[in-house]
Amino acid sequence: MKKILVTGGLGYIGSHTVVELQNSGFEVVIIDNLSNTTIEVLDNITSITGIKPQFEQIDLKNKEDVQLFFKKYTVDGVIHFAASKAVGESVELPLFYYENNISTLTYVLKEMIANNVYNFIFSSSCTVYGQADELPITENAPTKPAKSPYAATKKMGELIIEDTTKATELKSIALRYFNPIGAHKTAKIGELPIGVPQNLIPYVVQTAAGIRECLSIFGDDYPTPDGTAIRDYIHVVDLAKAHIAALNRLIHNQNKANCEFFNIGTGTGISVLEVVKAFEKVTEKKVNFKVVDRRAGDITAAYADTTLANKELGWKTEFTLEDALRSSWKWQESL
Ligand code: UDP
């Protein structure tokens, strides 16, 4: 049985990926510093799969703890989620973001190589493309200057990994996520709300639940059919499964280069207004909204060309937008 280290494995995408790893026959050891989640997630994963993953509460900023971890555990690969992800916060706290997302990445890679662990999956983001010149976005689209320290850490992360694959035996796949939404069908794991949601779906859900009074739609003067911005919303379980496909590709030496990049989205662009309407339809809940100014740094439209991921990873999405929105609502109700 292959054993996989999942850093940030108690977070939103991490926890769903741990479930899929266990369902696919992998043994999992999680590292998490609990900075943006709770230890209960470990029990909730266990109650879904019937298997308790190993867990180490480690902050990857502590280099010595990373060294000790790799002395204690022998793993076959690493899926690296652990990172901070709030765009606005990253503008306020750039050094924290560079330390928390970049220094930690170098520590993990260094210890992997020192311990002959060469399979690495990295959480990247479609933010590396900025506003792409052509839609849908292929992996060949040029990357654009980052608009926040958070986005910069994803671009830099990819570069650091690519350089490392050139100089060592490391093999890596960076998955460029579009917009992950939804929750596990059991409603035992999902995105934990901390403070005022910055992302669209959590805000929509909390507005429907009466926790927020009114959703602000950031701009209806974009050059799109209904004037609101367009994104590619992917069910988190579909996204989690892409990690299993990527990991298997590396483990079975099916990769075509030592550093590969794949877009992970649905391939369909959906506007903010379409999201609100679809949510209202599947949940029969009203979402109060008002249109306000555009949000600084937002782009008009982004959706993935998933041809490469479909072909090379043998992966495709299974869930619809409606499935994802329904699961988000069920998760909210369980909270
Ligand atoms: N959005 C919105 N109101 C909100 C949060 C988000 O209108 O309260 C819009 C945002 O401007 C963007 C889309 O919803 O067009 C998705 O935003 P989100 O923050 O979820 O993801 P992003 O694509 O910015 O990473």
Side-chain angles (χ1 to χ4, degrees):
M1 204 185 217
K2 300 275 186 210
K3 187 170 200 164
I4 306 302
L5 164 61
V6 181
T7 74
L10 297 185
Y12 174 43
I13 305 170
S15 57
H16 289 84
T17 303
V18 169
V19 167
E20 296 308 319
L21 280 168
Q22 292 184 319
N23 286 343
S24 307
F26 289 97
E27 204 180 323
V28 177
V29 51
I30 293 171
I31 288 182
D32 204 297
N33 68 357
L34 304 181
S35 61
N36 201 19
T37 185
T38 65
I39 191 66
E40 282 73 45
V41 175
L42 190 62
D43 294 329
N44 298 341
I45 290 170
T46 310
S47 90
I48 293 172
T49 63
I51 309 160
K52 188 164 186 145
Q54 288 178 298
F55 173 65
E56 294 283 345
Q57 185 173 344
I58 288 174
D59 190 321
L60 297 173
K61 289 195 285 302
N62 300 324
K63 205 176 187 171
E64 292 74 26
D65 288 349
V66 181
Q67 283 169 347
L68 288 174
F69 174 89
F70 278 92
K71 296 237 170 338
K72 182 169 168 189
Y73 293 89
T74 302
V75 297
D76 300 286
V78 177
I79 306 183
H80 183 54
F81 293 104
S84 296
K85 59 169 187 178
V87 175
E89 183 187 53
S90 79
V91 176
E92 306 290 321
L93 303 170
L95 291 178
F96 174 76
Y97 270 69
Y98 290 120
E99 186 182 18
N100 205 42
N101 293 7
I102 296 293
S103 301
T104 54
L105 171 65
T106 65
Y107 302 158
V108 171
L109 291 176
K110 200 171 161 201
E111 288 314 309
M112 283 179 66
I113 288 151
N115 292 281
N116 306 316
V117 181
Y118 297 123
N119 300 313
F120 188 69
I121 310 295
F122 180 62
S123 299
S124 191
S125 164
C126 67
T127 58
V128 300
Y129 299 116
Q131 179 57 68
D133 302 321
E134 283 173 40
L135 294 169
I137 304 172
T138 71
E139 288 78 357
N140 292 328
T143 61
K144 297 267 173 82
K147 285 193 172 169
S148 68
Y150 162 75
T153 66
K154 291 300 168 191
K155 268 188 85 172
M156 268 178 223
E158 287 191 354
L159 278 176
I160 289 167
I161 294 161
E162 188 163 21
D163 285 342
T164 308
T165 58
K166 286 178 191 161
T168 70
E169 287 181 59
L170 184 78
K171 299 183 294 175
S172 166
I173 294 179
L175 299 178
R176 292 172 170 166
Y177 308 158
F178 281 68
N179 292 53
I181 63 165
H184 195 263
K185 64 180 181 210
T186 58
K188 290 181 184 207
I189 53 172
E191 191 167 16
L192 286 172
I194 292 170
V196 181
Q198 305 299 309
N199 294 114
L200 178 63
I201 308 304
Y203 209 106
V204 166
V205 168
Q206 289 196 8
T207 306
I211 299 167
R212 310 279 157 204
E213 222 165 86
C214 184
L215 167 74
S216 294
I217 292 185
F218 299 137
D220 67 353
D221 57 350
Y222 283 102
T224 62
D226 66 22
T228 64
I230 288 176
R231 298 288 183 275
D232 183 340
Y233 297 95
I234 175 169
H235 196 302
V236 66
V237 173
D238 278 332
L239 176 60
K241 287 179 178 169
H243 294 77
I244 318 304
L247 185 67
N248 278 323
R249 180 177 173 89
L250 294 185
I251 286 175
H252 298 115
N253 290 311
Q254 289 162 340
N255 52 305
K256 292 191 174 153
N258 282 343
C259 187
E260 296 183 307
F261 305 90
F262 293 103
N263 288 343
I264 306 297
T266 66
T268 304
I270 303 286
S271 76
V272 176
L273 271 175
E274 284 173 327
V275 166
V276 172
K277 280 186 208 144
F279 181 87
E280 289 185 331
K281 194 168 170 209
V282 298
T283 62
E284 296 177 352
K285 291 276 162 193
K286 182 91 197 74
V287 179
N288 298 322
F289 71 83
K290 60 174 189 268
V291 176
V292 301
D293 286 346
R294 292 182 182 192
R295 182 169 69 178
D298 271 355
I299 56 167
T300 301
Y303 51 96
D305 183 326
T306 61
T307 311
L308 195 70
N310 296 156
K311 181 167 169 269
E312 293 295 326
L313 298 179
W315 162 91
K316 63 179 173 46
T317 54
E318 291 164 21
F319 295 102
T320 62
L321 174 71
E322 286 74 18
D323 294 332
L325 294 173
R326 217 176 278 117
S327 70
S328 292
W329 180 244
K330 192 172 169 196
W331 168 242
Q332 174 63 41
E333 285 185 309
S334 83
L335 291 172

